[in-house]
Amino acid sequence: MSRVDLRHSASVVSNTRICTDHYRLVLQEDRLSSITLPGQFVNIRIHNREDLILRRPFSVALVKPEKSLFEIVYRVVGKGTSAMTDLQPDDVVDLLGPLGKGFRIPEKAANCLLLGGGCGVAPLWGVADKLYRTNSTMVVMLGFQSSATVFGEDVFRAYGADTFITTDDGSYGLKGFVSEHLEKAMDRQIDRAYVCGPTPMIKAVAPILKKANVACEISMEAYMGCGFGVCLSCVVSVRNGEAIEKQRVCVEGPVFRLEDMVLDHET
Ligand SMILES: Cc1cc2nc3c(=O)[nH]c(=O)nc-3n(C[C@H](O)[C@H](O)[C@H](O)COP(=O)(O)OP(=O)(O)OC[C@H]3O[C@@H](n4cnc5c(N)ncnc54)[C@H](O)[C@@H]3O)c2cc1C
Ligand code: FES
């Protein structure tokens, strides 16, 4: 697909605050909503901010092709995401996508574990949507800082997932990190795991998932320049047989097999 094919103009349907620091942006565009896979991302040009030259990458949370809709959940952290909170219905967003490789969904029913943290919760909505259609069972564990930052639980429950929330301060759900409660979930039969969250969370759950020998995919974040493979600002270390090579999160990722990733503590 050329860059011309990747460029889209999507109209804003709604842009709603869903917790203290996250917004849910619903966009309408035919093609993206029909071809984007869970775990793929889009690169958004920030409207009315010519000074913000670099596009901002966001995972696609959920697609509804029958209505030409797709959703992004973003956390307000800096200039670009602050400007995005001004988006109003019918505004037009310029974006590139879908970019990168998404999660692999089994064709047949499987017992699946979904682990999410912070803004990494939203891309798992799309995974849950696909797994639901394969009659898979789902155990979902989501980690947040406190009750004020919890979102998305209802979406997983609507797909019939057994859903657990952890908060660092114990103000909602189980107290502590997802990794501290993960062993209990591993008592069940788990065939596949999907992880999307901050790097410290990925590093904490990785040894537990590896010990249980579960086929696992993780979505990695990296600071990005171009978003389509040219600038090499997003490389991570990945095993290829005996060798360790650099791969681009924006092209070969953002989703990788856990067994292939070289996480810091392994180098
Ligand atoms: C593949 C991918 C998927 C992502 N999906 C989501 C998502 O679904 N929801 C969400 O809230 N955030 C997501 N992020 C992080 C998001 O891109 C940044 O939070 C956002 O770019 C910050 O922009 P800013 O202008 O508000 O912040 P600033 O700090 O002002 O940004 C300055 C520069 O740093 C870059 N940057 C800052 N933080 C990050 C980061 N964590 N990762 C990559 N680049 C960063 C910005 O793109 C920008 O170029 C994703 C990042 C990647 C790489
Ligand atoms: S962001 Fe430029 S190569 Fe990945």
Side-chain angles (χ1 to χ4, degrees), residues 4 23 36 59 70 74 77-78 82-83 98 102 112-113 124 132 140 153 162 173 205 213 219 223 239 248:
V4 176
Y23 282 69
T36 304
S59 300
F70 66 100
Y74 63 93
V77 293
S82 296
C112 297
L113 174 67
L124 296 176
Y132 175 76
V140 177
E153 180 183 7
D162 209 356
V205 300
N213 214 13
S219 179
Y223 277 83
R239 283 189 196 84
R248 298 159 297 181

Side-chain angles (χ1 to χ4, degrees), residues 21-23 39-43 46 52-61 71-84 99 118-123 196 219-225 234 249-250 253-255:
D21 54 356
H22 283 78
Y23 282 69
Q40 288 189 297
F41 67 100
V42 290
N43 241 350
I46 305 298
L52 302 182
I53 296 161
L54 291 177
R55 291 170 179 267
R56 271 41 175 176
F58 297 95
S59 300
V60 173
E71 301 187 13
I72 285 161
V73 172
Y74 63 93
R75 181 170 177 226
V76 180
V77 293
K79 288 181 188 169
T81 45
S82 296
M84 285 167 67
L99 299 170
C119 60
V121 164
C196 191
S219 179
M220 298 297 293
E221 271 193 20
Y223 277 83
M224 290 189 177
C234 65
V249 171
C250 67
V255 175

Side-chain angles (χ1 to χ4, degrees), residues 113 115 166 168 176-183 186 195 197-212 216 218 220 258 263-266:
L113 174 67
L115 304 177
T166 71
D168 303 355
F177 300 129
V178 163
S179 52
E180 294 171 55
H181 298 279
L182 184 53
E183 300 273 7
M186 302 312 290
V195 184
T199 305
M201 175 189 150
I202 291 174
K203 287 181 182 171
V205 300
I208 303 168
L209 294 167
K210 281 184 179 171
K211 191 173 148 205
C216 177
I218 56 177
M220 298 297 293
L258 174 62
L263 299 167
D264 285 347
H265 66 271
E266 297 171 303

